[in-house]
Amino acid sequence: MVLHTTPYSSACLHFLDGLSWSLVFPCYWLLDRLLASCVATSLEKRQRSQDPCSFLTLCVLISAPLYLLLLLASLPFALLGFIIWAPLQAVRQPYLYTYRRPDKHQAEQGQAGTGGTSIGEWRPQGRSFCFCSANVCLLPDSLARFNNLSDTHRRAREVGKRICNGASRPQIKIYIDSPTNTSISAASFSSLATGFRRTSSLDHRPDQTHTTNGPADTETEPLTECPIHPSGATDCPLHPAAGDQGSSGCPLHPDGTQTIADCQRHPAGANNSSDCPVHTSGEAPDCPMHSAGPQSVPGHHDCPMHGEGTQPKSSTDCPLHTSGVQISISAPEPDPQEEEAETGNHRPGDQAGGDTGSMTASRESLARYHVGDSGVGISSNNTLSHVPRTSVFKRPGRKRRHGDETFDHEISAFFPANLDFLALQEVFDHGSTTRLRQQLHRYFPYVLSDVGRYGWKGCCSRFKFLNSGLMLASRYPILDARYECYPNGRGEDTLAAKGVLFAKVHVGTSHQEQRVVGYLTCTHLHAIEGDASVRCEQLDLLLRWGAEFRHSSSQPPEGEKVLEDLVAFDVILGDLNFDNCSSEDKLEQQHALFTQYKDPCRLGPGEDKPWALGTLLDPSGLYEDEVSTPESLQKVMENEEGRKEYLVFPPSKSQCPASSQKGRKIPLKGNGRRIDYILYSDEGQQQDWKLEIEEFSFVTQLASLTDHLSVAMRLAVSTGEEEP
C-alpha cells in the first residue's frame, strides 16, 4: 500500500522523461495548433461573422501555413524524443499522488479547511460525506473543438477555480418551525430565499466589499419580499423614505410618544447594520430578533409588533415571525491536528487564491450573510456561533422532494458546500492536468492525477497516446490506490488508456481504535454508441477488480496484527456512457452492477425518477446566452422546454444521432441522457450501520466550460449507536 509520489522510481528515469518530452513538445504543440485552426467553435464563428474587417479570418490564413512549416522543421527532434520516451512508459507509475499542506500564510488567514478534514474519533451518530463527479472534457485543444470547446488550459484553471469556490462556501441549513413543514433544507446558497442583501460574490467574504464588476456591484438591491408588508407599502420600517433617519417614520412610535432611546427598533448607542429586519442599527440585547432564548419566537414576549398588553398573535400572523426560521452557517470541518500546528480554522471567505476575476458567479447567484467580526465566531462543532434568530420570507425554494422521496434533490448553480470527494473524467491534456491540480489543491489536500498508461503496457496492447483522463481529489487521507486499464476498447477509444481508479480513504477511528474507511471508484467507460457488449464487459471487470482491491487493501501487513477496518461507504463515480432511458442501452441497464450498487435517480431498468435530469448537453448550444452562465443554465434546466432545447436526448429512429437537436419537434423521452452516475453500496458494512442520502444535485457551475452537467450526492453514515 505504497502511494506513488513520483512518475518514476529513479531520478535518472525522470530526467530522461523530461528530456524526451522537451524534444517532442514543440511538434506536439504545433500539430495541435494547426488542427485547431481548421476547426472553429460556434463562438469563434460568431465572432468572425461580427468582424467587419475579417481580421480573425486573416490571422487563421496566415498562422496555418506558419504552423505547418515549423511542424515540418520540428519533426526530426520529435522523432528522437519519441524514441527515448516510448520505452520509458513501460516503467512509469500508473498514477501520481500529491499532497499539499496549507502554508503558514493560509493558516493565518484561517484556511485550515484546505488542510484536510478531521479524521479523529468516529462519532456515534456517524457523519455525512459529499461526493461529486464531473466530466470536464480537457482534451488537447484540437480534439476538444469537436465538442465545440476550445482553450483547454484556460478552461482547466477556470474549472478548478469554480469547483473550489463552490465547495468552500459556508454550508447553509434552514430550520423551519412550522406545523406543516419540519424538514431541514441542506447546504446550498441556491435554496435560500431572496430577501437578504445580494452582492456579486465568488465566495463568502464578510470582510470585503470589492467584487468582480467593480464598485457598482456593491450596491444593495431592494428586498423582494418584506416581513412587515407583502404589498410594498411605503410606510414600512424596513423601507424608510430616502433621508429618513429619525423616529418619525417608525411604526413602533408613530405619534412621537417614545424617544429613539426607548424604541426597540432604534436601540441607543448602536451602530448601523443590515442584519436585523427590526432595527437598522447594530445588534441589541433587547431586540427580539437577536434574543438567545428559544421562547422569544414562539411566545413573542419581546416582539414590538405585539408587545405586552396586546392580544397575543400566532407566529403565522406576526409579520416579524412569518416562518420561525433559524439559519445555521457551517464551515468545512477543520483538522484538529492542523489546529495544533497553528494552521487555524478554515474560513471560505478568506480563501487564498480566490480569484475575483473568475467567471464563477453573478449578482443573482450568491447571497451574502452580513455578520460582524465581533459578533460571530466558529464554535467547536464548526458552526458559526451567535447567528441571530431571524425571519426568512417564505418563498418556493429550488430544493424539492418528489412524492415519497426521503431526500432533497435540486438543480444547483454551485458545487455543494463542504465537498469531500471529487472524481473527474477526461482530464487528458498534460498541461491542463498540472493547472487543474494546482487549483484543486487550494481546497483538496490529497489528489490522484495523471492516471493511466502511455505507449505499450500489459493488457493495453495497443499504443496509448492519451492516459485514462481520470482524477480523484479528497479532503480525507488516501491510504491505498490502484489503476486498471480496460483491455477491450474499440475504435478511437483505443487511443486512450480508459480504465478504473480505486482508492481507499481514512475517514475516522472507532472507540476500539479501528480505522473507519471508505472506498471510491472512479471510471470512464467506452464511449462509442452501439457497443453495449463492450461496456458490459467493462462493468464486469470493474466489479471483479473492485472486489479484489477491497480484499487486498484490507489485508494487514505480514507479521502484524491489526483490527479489521470498518467500512463507512463504497461509492462509484464516473461517466458510464449509457443512460437509463435509451432503448439502445437496455443491456447495460440490466447489468448486475445495479443489483450490488444503488442509483438514487433510478426507479428500475429503463425508468428514471421524474426529477432525474440528463447530464449530456447539446454541444451546439454551449455558448448561447441562455445557458452561458451557471445561473442561466440552472434556470433553463428547471424548465421542460429548456431541457428539450439544450440537452441531448436518446436518439430517435427518425433522426440522425449526430445531428443537432435544436428546434426539433419529435417527442422526447425522459429528461435527457443521464450518463454521469454516482452509485453507492451498503454491502460490507457493519450490521447496525445505515446509509441515507441527504441530497442529490445536478450542478451547472461549469457552464460553457464542458458539455456535461456535474452530479453531486451527500450521503449520511449512521452507526445506530446513541450519543454518550
Side-chain angles (χ1 to χ4, degrees):
M1 296 191 293
V2 178
L3 297 172
H4 306 299
T5 57
T6 59
Y8 296 94
S9 57
S10 70
C12 179
L13 294 177
H14 194 275
F15 170 77
L16 290 176
D17 180 76
L19 176 63
S20 63
W21 181 243
S22 65
L23 294 173
V24 171
F25 179 76
C27 181
Y28 164 82
W29 185 84
L30 290 167
L31 178 61
D32 185 53
R33 298 316 309 159
L34 178 63
L35 296 177
S37 64
C38 301
V39 182
T41 65
S42 60
L43 179 62
E44 292 171 340
K45 292 177 181 178
R46 185 195 310 169
Q47 292 172 345
R48 292 176 187 177
S49 65
Q50 297 172 353
D51 182 12
C53 300
S54 300
F55 178 75
L56 296 176
T57 304
L58 183 62
C59 289
V60 172
L61 294 177
I62 295 176
S63 60
L66 182 61
Y67 287 145
L68 180 59
L69 291 176
L70 294 175
L71 174 64
L72 295 176
S74 65
L75 281 176
F77 300 97
L79 180 60
L80 176 61
F82 180 80
I83 294 174
I84 302 173
W85 175 83
L88 291 175
Q89 305 314 303
V91 293
R92 181 184 172 276
Q93 304 296 351
Y95 60 81
L96 179 65
Y97 167 75
T98 54
Y99 166 71
R100 179 169 297 178
R101 184 186 181 93
D103 58 33
K104 187 175 182 181
H105 174 71
Q106 289 176 320
E108 292 174 352
Q109 295 297 322
Q111 296 176 16
T114 58
T117 302
S118 172
I119 56 169
E121 186 174 347
W122 184 262
R123 295 173 294 187
Q125 69 270 26
R127 291 182 182 175
S128 65
F129 303 93
C130 190
F131 308 84
C132 182
S133 177
N135 185 316
V136 291
C137 197
L138 294 178
L139 289 156
D141 194 54
S142 56
L143 299 181
R145 288 172 176 269
F146 290 97
N147 287 344
N148 201 25
L149 294 164
S150 64
D151 203 352
T152 300
H153 289 179
R154 178 197 63 81
R155 287 192 296 112
R157 286 191 296 267
E158 187 64 26
V159 165
K161 289 178 184 178
R162 294 194 188 187
I163 292 173
C164 293
N165 288 336
S168 61
R169 296 175 295 117
Q171 182 175 352
I172 304 297
K173 291 186 178 181
I174 305 178
Y175 298 83
I176 302 179
D177 300 330
S178 168
T180 59
N181 186 359
T182 58
S183 64
I184 298 176
S185 180
S188 177
F189 272 99
S190 62
S191 64
L192 282 176
T194 58
F196 294 108
R197 291 190 176 190
R198 296 178 295 179
T199 61
S200 179
S201 174
L202 301 184
D203 45 25
H204 189 68
R205 299 180 183 271
D207 302 327
Q208 301 181 17
T209 57
H210 64 275
T211 58
T212 304
N213 299 322
D217 287 337
T218 62
E219 297 177 4
T220 59
E221 297 181 8
L223 296 173
T224 57
E225 292 181 282
C226 179
I228 304 298
H229 62 78
S231 59
T234 58
D235 57 350
C236 175
L238 297 188
H239 303 101
D244 183 10
Q245 303 296 336
S247 61
S248 60
C250 181
L252 305 187
H253 43 79
D255 299 328
T257 56
Q258 290 178 298
T259 65
I260 295 180
D262 299 328
C263 178
Q264 297 186 26
R265 183 186 174 224
H266 302 103
N271 297 323
N272 193 26
S273 174
S274 61
D275 291 336
C276 182
V278 180
H279 56 76
T280 56
S281 51
E283 277 190 272
D286 57 347
C287 176
M289 306 311 293
H290 298 281
S291 177
Q295 73 277 5
S296 60
V297 172
H300 311 306
H301 302 303
D302 301 324
C303 181
M305 302 307 292
H306 41 70
E308 296 181 5
T310 61
Q311 185 177 357
K313 296 182 181 181
S314 64
S315 63
T316 57
D317 298 329
C318 177
L320 295 185
H321 305 97
T322 55
S323 58
V325 175
Q326 182 178 5
I327 298 179
S328 173
I329 306 179
S330 307
E333 296 181 1
D335 189 346
Q337 298 176 356
E338 299 292 344
E339 294 178 3
E340 295 174 3
E342 298 182 353
T343 55
N345 283 331
H346 174 53
R347 294 187 305 176
D350 298 326
Q351 183 176 7
D355 185 1
T356 57
S358 173
M359 298 181 294
T360 306
S362 67
R363 293 180 64 88
E364 293 78 20
S365 58
L366 289 176
R368 176 180 294 174
Y369 195 86
H370 294 281
V371 286
D373 289 341
S374 61
V376 178
I378 298 181
S379 61
S380 59
N381 63 350
N382 304 310
T383 302
L384 293 179
S385 60
H386 201 68
V387 177
R389 186 180 181 95
T390 184
S391 296
V392 172
F393 326 126
K394 285 188 175 181
R395 180 178 183 146
R398 299 183 190 275
K399 286 182 180 291
R400 304 175 181 89
R401 293 193 181 185
H402 191 277
D404 297 331
E405 203 69 81
T406 59
F407 58 89
D408 293 326
H409 50 83
E410 69 168 343
I411 303 171
S412 174
F414 304 98
F415 283 92
N418 298 355
L419 180 60
D420 295 307
F421 306 102
L422 174 69
L424 300 178
Q425 302 87 46
E426 292 197 15
V427 189
F428 289 116
D429 184 74
H430 181 74
S432 299
T433 300
T434 303
R435 289 165 173 80
L436 179 57
R437 182 173 59 234
Q438 291 174 346
Q439 291 294 331
L440 292 180
H441 268 310
R442 293 167 45 207
Y443 180 82
F444 296 99
Y446 312 95
V447 176
L448 294 172
S449 60
D450 205 9
V451 180
R453 303 287 189 182
Y454 296 96
W456 295 277
K457 175 68 177 181
C459 68
C460 301
S461 57
R462 296 188 180 183
F463 189 88
K464 303 298 179 182
F465 289 93
L466 301 172
N467 62 13
S468 70
L470 302 177
M471 180 180 284
L472 182 65
S474 171
R475 292 176 63 207
Y476 290 87
I478 298 175
L479 301 175
D480 194 11
R482 178 188 298 177
Y483 160 78
E484 298 287 350
C485 176
Y486 293 131
N488 61 338
R490 295 180 184 175
E492 60 268 25
D493 260 23
T494 60
L495 300 177
K498 284 189 174 181
V500 55
L501 174 66
F502 301 100
K504 179 181 180 180
V505 292
H506 185 197
V507 297
T509 304
S510 71
H511 298 297
Q512 294 79 25
E513 298 300 322
Q514 289 177 277
R515 289 191 310 188
V516 182
V517 301
Y519 290 100
L520 299 170
T521 301
C522 178
T523 190
H524 189 189
L525 297 188
H526 185 71
I528 300 177
E529 294 183 6
D531 286 345
S533 60
V534 175
R535 283 185 286 273
C536 286
E537 291 175 9
Q538 292 177 348
L539 291 176
D540 291 338
L541 292 172
L542 183 148
L543 293 176
R544 191 186 79 193
W545 290 335
E548 294 173 355
F549 173 74
R550 291 188 293 273
H551 179 265
S552 62
S553 64
S554 62
Q555 298 300 314
E558 188 174 352
E560 295 185 14
K561 292 184 178 180
V562 295
L563 295 176
E564 182 181 0
D565 291 336
L566 301 177
V567 179
F569 55 80
D570 180 7
V571 176
I572 296 177
L573 311 98
D575 181 353
L576 303 188
N577 273 314
F578 66 86
D579 63 70
N580 195 40
C581 294
S582 299
S583 57
E584 291 82 358
D585 295 334
K586 284 185 177 180
L587 194 61
E588 299 98 314
Q589 296 164 7
Q590 300 172 359
H591 194 271
L593 172 75
F594 297 103
T595 62
Q596 299 184 33
Y597 290 83
K598 299 178 182 179
D599 182 358
C601 303
R602 169 182 163 118
L603 287 174
E607 184 179 6
D608 274 346
K609 294 181 179 179
W611 52 264
L613 189 66
T615 59
L616 187 59
L617 297 171
D618 185 357
S620 64
L622 293 179
Y623 302 108
E624 298 290 338
D625 293 338
E626 292 84 357
V627 294
S628 59
T629 66
E631 296 78 20
S632 60
L633 180 58
Q634 177 195 32
K635 293 177 182 178
V636 167
M637 291 298 104
E638 291 175 338
N639 180 272
E640 183 178 359
E641 293 302 320
R643 292 193 293 267
K644 292 179 179 179
E645 186 77 8
Y646 292 101
L647 286 178
V648 173
F649 279 75
S652 170
K653 295 181 179 179
S654 60
Q655 182 184 12
C656 176
S659 63
S660 173
Q661 300 183 124
K662 294 178 68 62
R664 75 180 190 177
K665 304 298 182 181
I666 62 175
L668 301 176
K669 181 180 179 181
N671 287 324
R673 296 201 66 199
R674 184 175 61 88
I675 64 176
D676 297 274
Y677 291 78
I678 301 181
L679 312 175
Y680 70 98
S681 173
D682 52 10
E683 295 182 8
Q685 279 194 316
Q686 299 300 110
Q687 184 175 2
D688 296 332
W689 288 29
K690 184 179 180 181
L691 295 178
E692 289 184 351
I693 300 176
E694 292 185 346
E695 65 174 342
F696 195 95
S697 306
F698 297 91
V699 182
T700 64
Q701 194 166 359
L702 300 183
S704 76
L705 298 179
T706 179
D707 56 349
H708 286 245
L709 297 180
S710 307
V711 290
M713 178 182 73
R714 198 177 298 274
L715 188 66
V717 183
S718 58
T719 62
E721 303 177 18
E722 295 183 358
E723 184 73 25

